[in-house]
Amino acid sequence: LVLGLPLIALLIAGARAEPVSSTRFDLILRNGTVFDGSGREGVRQDVGIIGDRILAVGNLSGRQATREEDVSGLYVIPGIINVHDHTVPESLTRPEGLLTQGVTTAIANPDGGGSVDIVKQLSPAGGLGLNYGAYIGFNAIWQSVVGNDDRRPSDAEIARMRGLVTQGLEAGAFGISSGLDYKPSFWAKTDEVIRIVEAGRGWHTGFPNHERVYPGNGYSSLAGITETIEIGKAAGLMPVVTHMNLQGASAGKVSQLFAMFDRSRSQGVPVGADALPYAFGTTALDQLLIPNWAQDGGREAMLARFKVPALRKRIAAESSEIMDRRWNGPGGVYLDQLKQPLPQVMKDMGDIDAGEAVIRLVEQGLSRVILYYGTESDMLDILRNPLTALSCDCGARNWTFGHPRQWGSYPHFLGRLVREQKLMPWKEAVRRMTAVPAAMVGLTERGYLMPGMIADITIFDPNTISDRATIEQPTLPSVGVRLVLINGKLALKDAERAPVPVGMRMIRSRHEASRPMDFRVDRHLDLSGRLPDGTSVALTLGQGADAERPKGKVSLRLAGAPIAFTPSILQTADRWASVTGIGRWPDGRVEALTLLVEQADPLDQGHPHLTVLIDGAVRADGGLQGRVGITRTPAGK
Ligand SMILES: [Zn+2]
């Protein structure tokens, strides 16, 4: 006997056939200080979990659970979401460096990298140690079609690259990432990039770009960021300035940067941003230190140019200029594999100049470098901006060298910058690591700790959370993260990792929108109509900027049954909304319920569209015969 899918669904659903008021929870987290991710103050509460879902937040003192954890004195927050993740494939099953920071979800392929086959990439044989999704990378696509040479693609090649963008989005990508600073996609002209990524128009998704900073734009981050915004705007994608910082000629110009964001927003194109809590980065040794023209054609072509004395001299001189203009001089270059700053290496090589030393290191096969840029005060100002999500530009990797961010970013932010330097209140720090990045990449059921949301939860001690990793000892684990739950399952407890990987592969549907988080926005949703399968809905909900939950009336019938729906949160974007909460069936069964609402589905001739998710699975989906109204008003207007 083979069970049909609907029957299996019924059996699974039947396993939960009790009302929540009497159900035994799988897990209760007791007496923690709960920050829900919205920016509201922490409240001492209990959290009740069944399966992979948060079903109750409040006083659960009369309720029982199979397992309980007393988390008195600890902060309980939504799992941290890293939108700029460089985890290497061999560490995906055991992402120690991320779990000990409290990261539960990571989005791979930033800077345009990764595989053009993201389904394969997201399905490693050993399983996933955390939730893992991916961007589709422009650089990967460009390199696979155009190669390493500085040349113009044909119309047919542009069409092929557009096809790969669409294929990635159909596979569930969380945006189209790019790193136009990196060769060979550096050779792509602005209008070529637009023609290619424009294949994502209508997918409600983003364009996070590592901007170009090079002699051609006067070593200006602001010029590179202007291009990012221009591409997003022209291609119908939300521009995202990823690992935002101000290098070279742009150092010190934070107010100009945010004025650009305001201008773009007022033109109807909100810009997203993420930043890391360090004023230095790490990358491949040659990419951002050797002049671009010398990298044309790839590594072998570059090494051949080094062998021509006249070219070598020119490359060394230009490399020195890059260091002076962009990386605070040779002193801003640190060779982490050698554990030496470049000036020391120059001395040891016989007092040679900086550019010549870099060439020799590249020739010797050294691969990585740490680079100092801009100023510490710019970094702090960037982090202070309420738009900025925290990202770490880090990833799990079992390397013995590297940037301290790989093991330290979020505890560094929470311990040094939030607790010690009081950069911002805890509630705001939590929002920047959870709801803001979730909205930016189009997650709807993660990023908040509320009934109906997925039980990704990080629990830490606010008095002790700290990074220990340094430039000299970059792999020292952070301290203070006490408990990490991923999809309701224990992933880490007191520095012990769960034996079985508990993460899942994440796929974005095109009805989950990349959006700026609803910060200081009063929002309202009116929805009425039916789907071809008989699902019917009539709903009027409003949620003020500071309101704890939406208020209004909901009536929902699924497969003929009336569902009592208690919403926890209304999220909105331009002509898009989602409502997540708890639905109760007539027989008392209680399940997580999310409605995804499109006022005018761009990929379906502007018709309204409704998707109903029950415990994350699509229960109903289609063009809505009816009416949708979504309004968003800045608070106080
Ligand atoms: Zn980057």
Side-chain angles (χ1 to χ4, degrees):
L1 178 73
V2 177
L3 294 180
L5 269 182
L7 185 52
I8 291 177
L10 207 67
L11 290 173
I12 293 168
R16 198 180 279 171
E18 288 172 89
V20 75
S21 54
S22 65
T23 308
R24 189 181 173 87
F25 291 103
D26 292 335
L27 171 63
I28 295 179
L29 305 167
R30 292 213 187 268
N31 301 317
T33 301
V34 177
F35 292 83
D36 68 9
S38 70
R40 269 191 302 280
E41 194 52 78
V43 181
R44 193 169 160 153
Q45 284 176 320
D46 306 323
V47 180
I49 293 159
I50 296 181
D52 69 348
R53 294 282 161 165
I54 297 161
L55 284 205
V57 180
N59 181 351
L60 303 178
S61 55
R63 308 292 306 281
Q64 298 204 325
T66 307
R67 236 189 56 235
E68 308 210 353
E69 294 282 348
D70 181 2
V71 292
S72 308
L74 305 179
Y75 283 2
V76 182
I77 71 168
I80 295 171
I81 296 168
N82 177 26
V83 295
H84 193 118
D85 193 88
H86 286 289
T87 294
V88 294
E90 58 272 24
S91 295
L92 257 181
T93 307
R94 307 166 58 91
E96 232 96 14
L98 294 177
L99 295 178
T100 48
Q101 294 187 59
V103 176
T104 56
T105 295
I107 308 294
N109 301 347
D111 300 327
S115 167
V116 294
D117 182 354
I118 63 171
V119 176
K120 196 169 160 206
Q121 187 189 348
L122 296 179
S123 315
L128 293 166
L130 78 173
N131 298 320
Y132 202 52
Y135 301 108
I136 178 69
F138 173 82
N139 295 39
I141 289 175
W142 180 276
Q143 183 158 35
S144 77
V145 172
V146 183
N148 287 321
D149 297 345
D150 178 6
R151 69 170 181 88
R152 311 281 42 89
S154 67
D155 285 349
E157 286 171 329
I158 297 265
R160 263 170 67 204
M161 289 188 273
R162 288 177 58 94
L164 289 170
V165 168
T166 305
Q167 189 183 304
L169 292 170
E170 285 171 351
F174 285 82
I176 306 158
S177 71
S178 108
L180 297 181
D181 210 15
Y182 289 110
K183 280 56 63 181
S185 71
F186 175 82
W187 310 122
K189 311 258 190 231
T190 308
D191 61 308
E192 291 165 347
V193 182
I194 293 170
R195 280 175 72 195
I196 295 161
V197 302
E198 201 253 348
R201 184 186 294 279
W203 281 79
H204 300 302
T205 198
F207 174 70
N209 176 37
H210 173 147
E211 69 276 3
R212 312 182 214 243
V213 180
Y214 70 117
N217 66 12
Y219 295 98
S220 163
S221 294
L222 285 174
I225 290 168
T226 301
E227 185 191 30
T228 303
I229 296 174
E230 191 187 321
I231 292 169
K233 196 182 288 187
L237 304 167
M238 173 169 150
V240 175
V241 183
T242 194
H243 54 40
M244 182 160 64
N245 58 70
L246 290 169
Q247 299 174 8
S250 297
K253 296 184 178 170
V254 178
S255 52
Q256 266 175 262
L257 172 67
F258 288 116
M260 271 166 53
F261 279 40
D262 289 345
R263 213 174 311 128
S264 184
R265 179 179 285 262
S266 71
Q267 292 165 1
V269 183
V271 180
D274 63 84
L276 52 151
Y278 300 92
F280 54 99
T282 180
T283 192
L285 175 61
D286 51 358
Q287 274 285 349
L288 305 183
L289 284 178
I290 299 293
N292 296 312
W293 61 267
Q295 297 181 54
D296 183 1
R299 181 172 168 87
E300 292 311 312
M302 174 178 70
L303 292 175
R305 287 184 191 103
F306 291 166
K307 294 205 171 74
V308 181
L311 290 180
R312 186 180 186 98
K313 217 171 143 210
R314 188 181 150 201
I315 292 167
E318 291 186 20
S319 176
S320 292
E321 187 194 319
I322 292 170
M323 287 181 251
D324 289 341
R325 300 280 298 271
R326 188 172 179 185
W327 307 120
N328 300 339
V333 177
Y334 182 85
L335 290 316
D336 49 319
Q337 288 156 297
L338 307 176
K339 304 222 182 282
Q340 276 183 347
L342 185 62
Q344 181 63 45
V345 175
M346 290 155 60
K347 203 159 160 260
D348 293 349
M349 284 179 171
D351 278 322
I352 59 170
D353 70 56
E356 172 61 25
V358 168
I359 291 174
R360 288 192 198 172
L361 293 170
V362 171
E363 285 176 330
Q364 288 166 15
L366 209 72
S367 59
R368 304 290 302 175
V369 67
I370 285 177
L371 299 166
Y372 286 76
Y373 47 72
T375 69
E376 184 91 3
S377 84
D378 282 355
M379 187 265 285
L380 295 174
D381 283 343
I382 283 169
L383 292 179
R384 272 188 202 103
N385 191 289
L387 281 172
T388 310
L390 240 289
S391 64
C392 68
D393 198 353
C394 69
R397 44 183 65 178
N398 48 5
W399 300 359
T400 53
F401 57 91
H403 192 297
R405 71 190 186 202
Q406 313 294 357
W407 289 79
S409 295
Y410 294 96
H412 178 78
F413 172 63
L414 291 172
R416 314 250 160 177
L417 302 186
V418 176
R419 182 182 59 234
E420 290 170 20
Q421 296 182 30
K422 308 214 178 318
L423 184 69
M424 65 185 78
W426 289 101
K427 59 183 182 180
E428 175 66 5
V430 172
R431 192 178 72 87
R432 306 290 201 83
M433 304 185 301
T434 58
V436 176
M440 215 162 76
V441 295
L443 290 165
T444 44
E445 297 193 308
R446 300 181 200 270
Y448 292 95
L449 202 165
M450 295 174 178
M453 291 279 167
I454 296 173
D456 290 343
I457 297 177
T458 292
I459 301 177
F460 65 92
D461 184 339
N463 297 312
T464 63
I465 189 156
S466 297
D467 60 319
R468 295 191 303 146
T470 61
I471 288 250
E472 295 76 24
Q473 289 183 285
T475 62
L476 288 178
S478 298
V479 293
V481 171
R482 299 282 292 276
L483 202 69
V484 177
L485 294 177
I486 296 181
N487 305 314
K489 297 192 190 79
L490 197 65
L492 186 90
K493 187 176 179 186
D494 294 330
E496 286 294 310
R497 193 175 43 80
V500 184
V502 293
M504 61 178 279
R505 170 162 59 114
M506 299 194 305
I507 306 284
R508 189 187 72 96
S509 96
R510 70 181 173 91
H511 301 299
E512 293 181 281
S514 274
R515 60 208 183 268
M517 182 195 160
D518 283 324
F519 184 56
R520 310 298 305 149
V521 172
D522 297 329
R523 57 258 192 208
H524 197 91
L525 169 66
D526 278 300
L527 170 65
S528 70
R530 52 198 304 123
L531 295 180
D533 72 356
T535 297
S536 75
V537 60
L539 171 159
T540 304
L541 279 181
Q543 184 166 11
D546 298 313
E548 198 176 332
R549 56 178 55 94
K551 288 202 174 71
K553 286 187 185 145
V554 186
S555 125
L556 175 66
R557 292 185 79 87
L558 268 178
I563 312 288
F565 185 22
T566 309
S568 298
I569 186 168
L570 168 61
Q571 303 185 66
T572 59
D574 181 30
R575 284 169 291 175
W576 177 92
S578 76
V579 190
T580 296
I582 299 292
R584 184 192 301 265
W585 296 76
D587 63 5
R589 193 158 27 106
V590 171
E591 293 175 309
L593 184 53
T594 290
L595 307 180
L596 301 174
V597 184
E598 302 239 27
Q599 189 169 0
D601 183 354
L603 297 184
D604 185 21
Q605 297 162 350
H607 292 311
H609 188 102
L610 174 68
T611 305
V612 181
L613 300 173
I614 290 189
D615 284 348
V618 175
R619 178 61 65 97
D621 178 78
L624 184 82
Q625 293 295 318
R627 193 174 58 70
V628 178
I630 297 166
T631 53
R632 301 160 48 74
T633 325
K637 286 199 181 157

